[in-house]
């Protein structure tokens, strides 16, 4: 189906989120939408999907003007959408989530769960997602929730498919699979609007690219443009992709984890006797496929999950058994993997969210009250420093664009003196310009002598930041390797292959083809066999 | 160790974590209660008395002789059984498992029996009529709780159950009286309650007014309106407007002849049978049908429901209206189901107890019914013991239903989670 948007304008109060945007998506075309955080991409797609009503402009499908009073109309017209922020009911099972809204029934309105389960299994097998139809959504790691959200949209067999940052939490392997799916759909005539901040995905799959900045279309590009050109078009200035960080100056080893064992909420051992240590002035990246215990590891360090065994010491102090409040007060900065659930209070203002873990200390506490002036000053400083696009510090954080919400969380955690910094997916959904900034900020924290742990499924990010890399598989650390370890080796380790064997195998794999043994694969490709079979 | 410290938006899903750490709270509570029963009802109980429990009614086919039990010995035996159960719960707790609900339930039954044996020592009471009365008193609570959960499952908090019961009671009395037919009154009850439901929906769903405030205001409104009409209209012409016939008891052929259970469950008025049907229908509808799936989605995460094409506002309207009708049906119990005539503020806070039953029953119809039965039993027990002149002061017995409510909700409910979006208006972007 051919999709045309003409002169779409959407305002939120004084803010013009979309300013007379024109966009044409041909049938069977993959149209990438690029733009920095807060540019108005999600807003535009929400208008198209009927969630927002445009102030001006028209939507044409196959040349016919359409008005959508709600998503119901858009769905009926054949539009499907994967939302940037998951639209999944936490207490539903995967099968229930996928069937919701277009349920199979046995007649009389009785749900046919068997058919729904079968459908989930079929789709999930076809795309290699390995979903369990009976798993409850809220127990799933975000990466798996993302797959559920994708399957949900695919099950509808839309003719126009909107994908709003579907790859933000996927592993490279999963991203490759998704790109394969997109090609399949495209060949079948589906028009796809694809939003992402990862330029190489755009280059790999897009037929054409439209760039928007501050609500307006600023240009279009072809997929053969270089990443630097695209980044520049997006941000409006030159962006240096790739971070040249100095080698670390290691201080004392102040953070030590020994034999840590943690069970997840279902009683299953998620972290199994993990030991490692991080020195001051060092970044340790924890790599691995989602759901191999990384989440539970960080949550146990923070104290929200009790440790079954083992010890965690920070500057000689035992953290196991302490409350999260005390652990944070002891100097831990923590960026959780899911900003909306654990990182922010969405109804609070940006200013309030920026002091969530410091409201009770100077300079924000004044007796039993808050020093609102200090709060405002802090907010203004952070907003300027991190370039958070908001209508002001008094705006509700839930109204910010996804990437800007992420910046609020990182800004808060890095805004106080730290003895340890742990960040899960620190740049999830953040645009290239801001990734550059956040990475520099994290390295600066390291150079100030803080031990840093980065948990990321993004191998680019791992390669960029890590001084050492710990690879986790099924709750154990497969090995801890140097920061410049080739991706091919990391990929094998992420599938559970021990370090030595992984080196061997990677060498063998590389030799017959091009005889370039063990060199790091260049960032432009994703085709490592990174994940293997995690189910 | 609370997860809420760092996750202010929503507690992290770590409910099972809490269950895993060894907690002796339940075994200790059971142990203390068991010991108290042993000492108070058993060892310090009256010597040489007998307790008589009637177990069949006058009209039963199968007559069973009343049980005559030596009071002290029986109470001691029951207390010891209770203590054994408490000990077993300690074993369970030590294995880091959660104490199962059946164990607490059986403990409760045994403990109450010990208490009854002591309280009725030297006298006699009929177990059948005790249970029959409990069920009857549970009827408005169960209907109210069902009405409440139909609302909350769709994301609207219904504080106005009290008002819906009251208008339902009023409508049943007046219409039943005017037509001279209790069954017409029964149909009128939900229709009258719909007025309250429609106002609740209008203000909360359409205009996004705070749901708690609207609910409270509607309760006050219902009291004011019915009291005014009672004082100014019903009293004037009570013979015509406020003397409805009462619903007759309709024994179910066959089933009502089962010893003990028959008369309790199947020798009741139509309103009780309607309750059975309602519980089954609502359970099945909520958890097995497309309608239920959509309602629950709206109550948990309205935005997600919206994005798959479900009309959130319409779903909420429907459910608020349906819920109020169900609650109104329960209101009919107060007039045509028991005393007949309507009296000012005759629901006396039962709507709030129904709310508690809904929470204690964890927003499930069967749970709500069970909780309502518990509260109904406490109420009936209070009435029976009040008449029997037991050693316990009457004022204390009047408190019993409410004490049971507080302890049940605080102690048994623990960490439950209602529909996540209940209380939250849904506004589109
Ligand atoms: N419901 C809302 N109310 C007020 N402002 C809003 C609302 N939704 C979005 N905005 C504002 O509109 C602008 C565009 O937001 P949008 O979510 O479309 O950005 P985006 O391009 O998707 O960014 P990202 O890459 O971070 O997801 C932002 O400044 C945001 O704060
Ligand atoms: Mg967005």
């Amino acid at each position: 189906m051919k999709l045309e948007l003409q002169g779409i304008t959407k305002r939120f109060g004084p803010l013009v989120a979309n300013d007379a945007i024109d966009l044409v998506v041909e049938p069977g075309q993959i149209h990438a939408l690029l733009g920095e955080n807060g540019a108005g991409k999600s807003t535009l797609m929400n208008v198209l999907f009927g969630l927002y009503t445009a102030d001006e402009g028209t939507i044409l499908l196959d040349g016919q003007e359409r008005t959508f009073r709600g998503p119901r109309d858009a769905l009926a017209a054949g539009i499907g959408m994967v939302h940037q922020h998951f639209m999944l009911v936490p207490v539903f099972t995967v099968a229930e989530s996928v069937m919701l809204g277009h349920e199979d029934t046995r007649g009389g309105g009785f749900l046919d769960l068997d058919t729904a389960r079968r459908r989930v299994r079929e789709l999930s097998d076809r795309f290699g997602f390995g979903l369990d139809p009976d798993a409850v959504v809220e127990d799933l790691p975000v990466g798996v929730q993302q797959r559920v959200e994708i399957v949900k949209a695919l099950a509808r067999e839309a003719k126009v498919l909107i994908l709003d940052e579907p790859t933000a939490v996927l592993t490279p392997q999963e991203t490759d699979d998704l790109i394969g799916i997109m090609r399949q759909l495209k060949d079948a005539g589906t028009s796809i609007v694809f939003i992402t901040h990862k330029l190489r995905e755009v280059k790999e799959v897009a037929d054409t690219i439209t760039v928007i900045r501050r609500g307006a279309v600023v240009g279009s590009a072809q997929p053969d443009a270089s990443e630097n050109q695209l980044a520049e078009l997006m941000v409006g200035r030159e962006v240096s992709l790739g971070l040249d960080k100095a080698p670390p100056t290691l201080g004392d080893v102040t953070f030590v984890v020994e034999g840590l064992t943690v069970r997840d909420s279902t009683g299953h051992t998620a972290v199994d006797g993990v030991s490692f240590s991080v020195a001051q002035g060092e970044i340790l990246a924890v790599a691995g496929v989602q759901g191999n215990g990384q989440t539970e590891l960080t949550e146990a360090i923070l104290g929200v999950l009790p440790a079954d065994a083992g010890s965690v010491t920070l500057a000689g102090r035992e953290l196991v058994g302490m409350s999260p409040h005390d652990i944070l007060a002891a100097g831990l900065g923590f960026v959780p993997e899911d900003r909306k659930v654990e990182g922010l209070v969405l109804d609070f203002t940006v200013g309030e969210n920026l002091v969530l873990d410091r409201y009770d200390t100077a300079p924000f506490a004044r007796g039993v009250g808050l020093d609102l002036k200090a709060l405002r000053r802090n907010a203004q400083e952070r907003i300027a420093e991190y370039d958070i696009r908001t209508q002001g510090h008094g705006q509700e954080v839930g109204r910010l664009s996804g990437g800007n919400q992420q910046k609020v969380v990182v800004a808060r955690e890095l805004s106080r003196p730290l003895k340890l910094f742990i960040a899960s997916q620190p740049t999830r959904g953040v645009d290239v310009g801001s990734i550059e900034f956040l990475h520099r900020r994290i390295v600066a924290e390291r150079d100030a002598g803080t031990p840093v742990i980065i948990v990321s499924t993004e191998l680019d990010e791992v390669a960029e930041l890590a001084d050492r890399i710990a690879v986790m598989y099924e709750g154990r650390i497969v090995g801890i390797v140097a920061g410049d370890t080739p991706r091919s080796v990391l990929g094998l380790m992420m599938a559970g292959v021990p370090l030595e064997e992984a080196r061997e195998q990677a060498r063998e794999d590389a030799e017959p083809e091009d005889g370039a043994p063990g060199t790091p694969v260049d960032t432009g490709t994703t085709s490592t066999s990174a994940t293997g079979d995690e189910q | 160790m609370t997860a809420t410290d760092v996750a202010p938006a929503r507690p992290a899903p770590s409910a099972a974590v809490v269950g895993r750490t060894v907690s002796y709270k339940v075994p200790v509570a059971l142990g203390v209660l068991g010991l108290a029963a042993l000492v108070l009802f058993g060892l310090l109980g009256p010597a040489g008395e007998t307790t008589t429990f009637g177990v069949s009614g006058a009209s039963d086919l199968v007559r069973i002789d009343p049980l005559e039990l030596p009071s002290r010995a029986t109470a001691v035996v029951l207390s010891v059984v209770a203590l054994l159960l408490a000990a077993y719960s300690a074993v369970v707790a030590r294995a880091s498992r959660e104490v199962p609900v059946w164990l607490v339930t059986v403990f409760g039954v045994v403990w109450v029996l010990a208490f009854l044996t002591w309280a009725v020592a030297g006298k006699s009471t009929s177990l059948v009529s005790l249970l029959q009365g409990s069920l009857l008193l549970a009827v408005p609570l169960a209907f109210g709780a069902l009405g409440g959960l139909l609302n909350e499952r769709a994301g609207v908090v219904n504080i106005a159950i009290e008002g819906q019961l009251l208008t339902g009671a009023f409508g049943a009395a007046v219409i039943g009286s005017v037509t001279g037919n209790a069954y017409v009154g029964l149909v009128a009850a939900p229709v009258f309650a719909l007025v309250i439901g429609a106002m609740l929906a209008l203000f909360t769903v359409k205009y996004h007014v705070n749901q708690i405030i609207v609910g409270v205001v509607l309760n006050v409104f219902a009291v004011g309106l019915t009291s005014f009409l009672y004082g100014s209209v019903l009293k004037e012409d009570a013979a015509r407007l406020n003397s409805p016939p009462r619903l007759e008891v309709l024994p179910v052929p066959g089933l009502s002849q089962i010893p003990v259970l028959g008369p309790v469950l199947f020798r009741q008025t139509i309103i009780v049978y309607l309750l059975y049907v309602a519980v089954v229908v609502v359970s099945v509808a909520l958890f097995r049908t497309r309608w239920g799936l959509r309602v629950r989605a709206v109550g948990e995460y309205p935005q997600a429901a919206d994005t798959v094409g479900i009309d959130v506002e319409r779903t909420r309207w429907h459910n608020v209206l349906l819920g109020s009708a169900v609650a109104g049906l329960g209101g009919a119990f107060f007039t045509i189901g028991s005393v007949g005539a309507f009296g000012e503020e005759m629901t006396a806070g039962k709507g709030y107890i129904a709310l508690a039953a809904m929470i204690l029953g964890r927003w499930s119809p069967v749970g709500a019914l069970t909780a309502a039965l518990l509260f109904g039993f406490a109420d009936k027990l209070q009435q029976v013991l009040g008449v029997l002149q037991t050693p316990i002061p009457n004022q204390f017995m009047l408190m019993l239903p409410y004490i049971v409510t507080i302890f049940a909700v605080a102690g048994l409910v623990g960490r439950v989670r209602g529909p996540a979006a209940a209380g939250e208006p849904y506004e589109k972007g």
Side-chain angles (χ1 to χ4, degrees):
Chain A
M1 198 153 38
K2 179 171 171 172
L3 166 75
E4 277 173 274
L5 300 179
Q6 293 177 347
I8 301 285
T9 298
K10 174 68 187 172
R11 299 187 193 88
F12 294 111
L15 177 92
V16 186
N18 287 163
D19 190 1
I21 289 189
D22 296 326
L23 189 77
V24 181
V25 186
E26 302 289 344
Q29 187 187 53
I30 299 181
H31 195 126
L33 212 50
L34 281 182
E36 50 185 350
N37 296 129
K41 306 177 296 292
S42 298
T43 304
L44 184 67
M45 291 303 110
N46 283 334
V47 167
L48 170 57
F49 192 59
L51 269 173
Y52 293 160
T53 323
D55 295 306
E56 287 158 37
T58 46
I59 299 169
L60 303 169
L61 287 179
D62 279 338
Q64 268 187 325
E65 188 173 337
R66 306 295 281 263
T67 36
F68 299 145
R69 265 169 298 124
R72 175 200 265 305
D73 294 348
L75 287 165
I79 299 177
M81 180 161 175
V82 169
H83 299 265
Q84 180 175 12
H85 291 126
F86 305 149
M87 293 296 168
L88 299 171
V89 177
V91 297
F92 278 11
T93 65
V94 171
E96 285 171 333
S97 306
V98 171
M99 80 197 300
L100 183 67
H102 61 141
E103 301 84 352
D104 299 295
T105 54
R106 293 202 163 102
F110 283 90
L111 293 175
D112 185 354
L113 271 172
D114 293 331
T115 307
R117 285 194 193 100
R118 195 159 357 100
R119 200 181 289 257
V120 170
R121 256 186 233 114
E122 268 166 28
L123 280 167
S124 142
D125 286 350
R126 191 161 122 218
F127 304 128
F129 279 171
L131 293 175
D132 169 10
D134 292 316
V136 175
V137 168
E138 66 183 350
D139 296 336
L140 299 174
V142 278
V144 182
Q145 292 190 17
Q146 178 72 72
R147 292 179 238 170
V148 177
E149 185 76 20
I150 293 170
V151 165
K152 203 176 115 190
L154 293 178
R156 293 257 184 173
E157 295 173 356
K159 295 195 214 56
V160 176
L161 186 62
I162 305 165
L163 300 171
D164 194 352
E165 297 194 28
T167 58
V169 288
L170 294 188
T171 57
Q173 179 67 51
E174 288 168 343
T175 303
D176 286 347
D177 292 345
L178 181 65
I179 285 175
I181 297 168
M182 287 165 66
R183 291 212 175 100
Q184 273 178 36
L185 292 172
K186 167 187 151 163
D187 291 340
T190 309
S191 320
I192 299 177
V193 182
F194 179 43
I195 299 177
T196 181
H197 288 295
K198 299 177 189 171
L199 300 177
R200 61 178 157 75
E201 293 169 8
V202 173
K203 284 171 57 68
E204 198 172 329
V205 77
D207 296 313
T208 179
I209 301 165
T210 296
V211 182
I212 57 180
R213 195 191 313 149
R214 296 190 185 261
V217 174
V218 292
S220 56
Q222 291 309 308
D224 51 17
S226 76
E227 289 193 18
N228 278 313
Q229 283 169 327
L230 290 176
E232 205 176 317
L233 201 53
M234 260 172 79
V235 187
R237 66 180 161 86
E238 208 172 314
V239 180
S240 62
L241 299 172
L243 173 81
D244 296 313
K245 65 176 166 50
T249 1
L250 298 189
D252 297 339
V253 175
T254 53
F255 182 67
V256 182
V257 173
E258 245 167 24
L260 186 67
T261 298
V262 184
R263 277 191 275 174
D264 66 13
S265 50
T266 57
H268 165 90
T269 302
V271 178
D272 193 358
V274 161
S275 304
F276 63 90
S277 60
V278 191
Q280 289 184 320
E282 181 191 35
I283 299 178
L284 175 78
V286 178
V289 178
Q290 273 274 341
N292 274 292
Q294 302 97 313
T295 312
E296 289 80 5
L297 173 65
T298 57
E299 285 183 352
I301 295 172
L302 176 63
V304 289
L305 275 187
D308 268 11
S311 89
V312 177
T313 49
L314 176 59
R317 235 169 120 192
E318 178 63 54
L319 299 187
V320 170
M322 277 166 71
S323 74
H325 178 272
D326 294 341
I327 292 175
L328 289 173
L332 169 64
F334 189 88
V335 176
E337 63 172 5
D338 192 341
R339 57 184 172 243
K340 284 193 96 163
V341 176
E342 283 152 359
L344 298 164
V345 181
L346 295 176
D347 295 337
F348 281 17
T349 66
V350 174
E352 287 162 348
N353 271 288
L354 280 168
V355 297
L356 267 193
D357 51 7
R358 290 206 292 163
Y359 64 90
D360 56 350
T361 53
F364 306 112
R366 205 169 48 188
V368 292
L370 280 179
D371 185 342
L372 294 180
K373 250 196 221 125
L375 212 129
R376 193 169 335 127
R377 208 175 320 114
N378 173 65
Q380 276 154 357
E381 282 169 22
R382 296 287 89 75
I383 288 171
E385 183 185 353
Y386 287 81
D387 187 23
I388 298 169
R389 302 281 165 86
T390 160
Q391 292 188 51
H393 61 82
Q395 194 177 20
E396 279 174 27
V397 103
R399 304 251 185 231
L400 297 194
S401 81
N404 283 301
Q405 293 181 7
Q406 183 71 27
K407 289 194 235 169
V408 171
V409 179
V410 179
R412 175 183 68 221
E413 296 304 320
L414 284 175
S415 65
R416 61 195 164 101
L418 295 180
K419 293 208 174 65
L420 173 67
F421 179 63
I422 299 180
S424 297
Q425 318 290 1
T427 56
R428 175 182 176 193
V430 171
D431 69 45
V432 278
S434 306
I435 288 180
E436 178 199 0
F437 172 78
L438 289 182
H439 280 177
R440 277 184 208 293
R441 193 63 193 70
I442 290 171
V443 171
E445 192 66 37
R446 172 197 83 166
D447 292 340
T450 308
V452 175
I453 298 174
I454 300 293
V455 179
S456 184
T457 47
E458 190 61 30
L459 278 183
D460 286 345
E461 182 157 85
V462 169
E464 194 123 316
L465 289 175
D467 298 318
R468 281 189 304 149
I469 302 170
V471 182
M472 277 189 87
Y473 179 72
E474 295 196 334
R476 296 166 193 262
I477 290 187
V478 185
I480 301 185
V481 294
D484 57 1
T485 306
R487 277 161 165 274
S488 48
V489 176
L490 288 179
L492 286 167
M493 289 173 71
M494 282 163 75
V497 181
L499 175 58
E500 279 316 312
E501 245 173 83
R503 284 228 168 93
E504 279 293 299
Q505 220 169 309
R507 208 170 294 136
E508 282 165 22
D509 284 353
E511 264 164 6
E513 281 166 25
D514 53 20
T519 45
V521 179
D522 119 73
T523 42
T525 61
T526 53
S527 49
T528 51
S529 61
T531 60
D533 44 349
E534 79 265 22
Q535 292 297 328
Chain B
M1 226 221 38
T2 52
T4 34
D5 282 352
V6 283
R10 178 143 53 84
S14 53
V17 175
V18 177
R20 213 171 56 221
T21 47
V22 179
S23 160
Y24 284 111
K25 253 188 259 167
V26 176
V28 166
L30 297 189
V32 169
L33 282 172
L35 271 181
L38 184 65
V39 174
L40 292 176
F41 310 146
L43 303 179
L44 296 180
E49 300 275 15
T50 48
T51 302
T52 314
F53 287 130
V55 286
S56 64
S59 60
D60 288 4
L61 278 183
V62 192
R63 302 289 302 266
I64 304 173
D65 283 339
L67 293 173
E68 290 186 14
L69 304 166
S71 308
R72 212 161 95 169
T74 312
V76 168
V77 170
L78 287 168
S79 308
V80 169
V81 172
L83 280 172
L84 288 176
L85 285 167
Y88 180 64
S89 76
V91 174
V92 172
R94 236 183 83 175
S96 308
R97 276 182 292 141
E98 218 160 329
V99 179
V101 176
W102 67 259
L103 200 152
V104 179
T105 314
V106 173
F107 179 92
V109 171
V110 171
W111 197 91
V112 166
L113 281 176
F115 166 75
L116 271 180
T117 331
W118 168 75
V120 186
K123 309 188 183 72
S124 103
T125 192
S126 160
L127 281 185
V128 171
S129 64
L130 180 65
L131 294 178
Q132 212 169 20
S134 306
L135 176 56
L136 212 52
L137 287 174
V139 166
L141 302 179
F143 272 115
L146 276 183
L149 76 87
L150 280 169
N151 277 264
E152 296 216 358
R153 282 288 183 177
V156 180
V157 174
N158 187 7
I159 300 283
I161 298 174
E162 176 79 0
Q164 291 160 356
L165 289 177
L166 196 58
T167 41
F170 179 85
V174 174
I175 302 297
S177 178
V178 170
T179 60
N181 185 333
Y183 292 98
V184 180
L186 188 63
V187 174
V191 176
F192 272 64
L194 272 180
V195 175
I196 303 286
M199 284 198 277
L200 181 65
L202 182 72
F203 289 117
T204 61
V205 181
K206 185 148 190 229
Y207 295 115
H208 306 307
V209 184
N210 183 295
Q211 298 173 358
I212 310 279
I213 293 177
V214 174
V216 171
V217 169
L218 285 176
N219 283 341
V220 177
F221 170 76
V223 169
L225 186 71
T226 53
S227 298
F228 166 74
L229 290 174
Y230 175 76
S232 63
V233 185
L234 294 200
K235 256 195 185 154
E236 303 292 299
D237 194 358
R240 197 168 68 84
L241 294 176
N242 199 13
S243 332
R246 286 158 48 175
L247 291 169
E248 64 219 295
V249 172
L250 304 169
V252 179
L255 287 177
S256 61
Q257 299 302 340
I258 304 168
V260 187
L261 281 187
V264 172
L265 296 178
F266 302 108
R267 197 170 296 158
Q268 298 278 13
T269 62
I270 185 167
I271 207 169
V272 176
Y273 304 138
L274 278 178
L275 178 61
Y276 301 159
V277 175
V279 168
V280 173
V281 169
V282 174
S283 289
V284 171
L286 264 184
F287 299 110
R288 297 255 182 284
T289 69
R290 167 169 57 196
W291 172 83
L293 190 73
R294 293 181 173 191
V295 165
R296 285 184 289 137
V298 167
E300 293 285 347
Y301 193 176
Q303 215 179 350
D306 193 4
T307 57
V308 292
I310 297 168
D311 190 332
V312 174
E313 243 182 55
R314 198 162 62 194
T315 308
R316 289 191 165 177
W317 262 98
H318 284 176
N319 272 59
V320 171
L321 293 180
L322 183 65
S324 67
V326 170
L329 204 53
F333 162 83
F334 292 98
T335 48
I336 56 175
S338 55
V339 294
F342 180 81
E344 265 183 85
E345 294 187 50
M346 71 188 308
T347 50
K350 287 286 193 296
Y352 299 104
I353 305 266
L355 208 57
M358 174 192 75
I359 296 170
L360 183 58
R362 300 178 183 216
W363 288 267
S364 98
V366 175
L369 175 65
T370 314
L373 286 172
L374 175 68
F375 296 149
F377 179 73
D379 207 359
K380 183 67 190 176
L381 193 62
Q382 167 263 120
Q383 291 179 3
V384 168
L385 297 184
V387 175
L388 277 180
Q389 300 288 334
T390 56
I392 308 161
N394 220 10
Q395 289 80 354
F396 181 82
M397 290 311 297
L398 282 175
M399 284 161 47
L400 189 65
Y402 306 99
I403 291 182
V404 169
T405 308
I406 290 185
F407 277 97
V409 173
L412 291 180
V413 172
R415 281 175 61 120
V416 291
R417 214 164 56 181
E424 307 260 333
Y426 179 61
E427 285 171 83
K428 301 185 89 169

